[in-house]
Amino acid sequence: MGKQKKTRGYAVAKKMISKNDDRLKSNVQKAEEKKEKKEKEEAPRHIDQTPSSMFFKFNEALGPPYNVLVDTNFVNFSIKNKLEMTKSMMDCLCAKATPCVTDCVMAELEKLGSKYRVALRLAKDPRFRRLPCTHKGTYADDCLLQRATQHRCYIVATCDKDLRRRIRKVPGVPIMYISARKYTIERMPEAFGAPRSG
């Protein structure tokens, strides 16, 4: 008895996986992305609670004696413009002001080296209040922004345009900066003795 001859069926092609098959890697990734997107849409949105001291954009927690969070470049520019910090702050705010220096700002001043030793000595002044930091890293901008957002009882003193832009998004936090060789303040209610612009 001979070998049986297999005849190939008419117009039969090899079986191939379709483009939409679940076993293909690209389809698996697309399915995962779709699932993640759906989860994000269904997840509850997190909206920060407005502090009780805020009355619309008016911050009732701010009042003399003021606490001023000082940035690294503000100290440097004050020295360049020959401004005595505590006196100039009092002249600007028409009230007692306490400059506050965080650990991050001190670390930044120490990193800058011997060129900025005068600024470091000024920041170590006993009239300046030292605020300890608990977070990781020593990036002062994020630290100041977080502190100002968390406790709306500070005025942030900085000459950094990027940081000022970020702080403007937080309602009720006034910004102090240097212009025309004197301290000026923005977003401060006029009742608190802010210099009038114009």
Side-chain angles (χ1 to χ4, degrees), residues 80-113:
K80 276 183 185 174
N81 290 306
K82 296 183 173 71
L83 291 165
E84 208 277 291
M85 283 186 81
T86 44
K87 187 180 175 294
S88 300
M89 279 179 187
M90 284 181 192
D91 292 344
C92 175
L93 296 164
C94 304
K96 189 177 187 293
T98 311
C100 303
V101 181
T102 61
D103 287 347
C104 295
V105 172
M106 289 297 277
E108 266 191 13
L109 284 166
E110 284 166 7
K111 277 181 193 171
L112 289 169

Side-chain angles (χ1 to χ4, degrees), residues 62-78:
L62 273 173
Y66 297 107
N67 292 315
V68 185
L69 280 174
V70 180
D71 192 16
T72 316
N73 53 33
F74 190 80
V75 179
N76 294 335
F77 280 107
S78 296

